[in-house]
Amino acid sequence: QVQLVESGGGSVQAGGSLRLSCEIDEDTYNRYCLGWFRQAPGKDREGVAAIDVDGTASYDDSVKDRYTISRDNAKHTLYLQIFNLKSEDSGIYYCAAEECGVVPYCSGGACYTGYSYWGQGTRVTVSS
């Protein structure tokens, strides 16, 4: 059974940093490409970062200077580190898994969104 469980969200001050985590079942973690998505209030969910099984990362152009996606193979955990938080970073963050064969990466400034498996999300609120 595919399991993705996000954590690490909360209320933070603008300018600060935050690390989101996504614990994933071992089989899914080892076989699938992974991504992070953000849904801001009143907006559609959008991809912000993706990473393949060997750790190659890709980003939406709007976040690439402040977001870092990584994976810990020993813990079967996906991370998203966000630096210099801004109000536009507020929203619900989801991790997701997809077969790498569909090339679920970020390219040309946009990220693939048709992932098959999703976590329940973790909320981030940035205050100024």
Side-chain angles (χ1 to χ4, degrees):
Q1 181 178 359
V2 177
Q3 293 186 334
L4 301 99
V5 181
E6 301 95 334
S7 61
S11 296
V12 293
Q13 292 284 326
S17 61
L18 193 67
R19 189 177 77 164
L20 305 179
S21 301
C22 176
E23 296 183 32
I24 304 168
D25 69 276
E26 181 176 2
D27 184 60
T28 301
Y29 181 90
N30 290 332
R31 291 173 50 200
Y32 286 80
C33 287
L34 306 171
W36 281 102
F37 295 77
R38 178 182 66 210
Q39 186 165 20
K43 296 187 177 181
D44 293 335
R45 187 163 56 188
E46 60 180 353
V48 294
I51 190 167
D52 65 14
V53 291
D54 67 7
T56 301
S58 57
Y59 299 90
D60 180 87
D61 283 350
S62 66
V63 305
K64 62 183 179 180
D65 293 331
R66 297 187 299 113
Y67 285 32
T68 301
I69 188 173
S70 63
R71 52 195 301 166
D72 185 326
N73 295 338
K75 296 182 179 179
H76 308 138
T77 300
L78 177 72
Y79 299 104
L80 183 69
Q81 180 80 51
I82 309 174
F83 301 95
N84 189 22
L85 280 154
K86 303 177 180 181
S87 58
E88 56 259 41
D89 296 319
S90 295
I92 302 174
Y93 284 75
Y94 300 89
C95 62
E98 179 57 88
E99 292 186 9
C100 297
V102 303
V103 195
Y105 308 132
C106 303
S107 178
C111 299
Y112 177 84
T113 59
Y115 279 64
S116 298
Y117 304 102
W118 296 83
Q120 83 290 348
T122 186
R123 183 180 298 275
V124 173
T125 303
V126 182
S127 58
S128 56

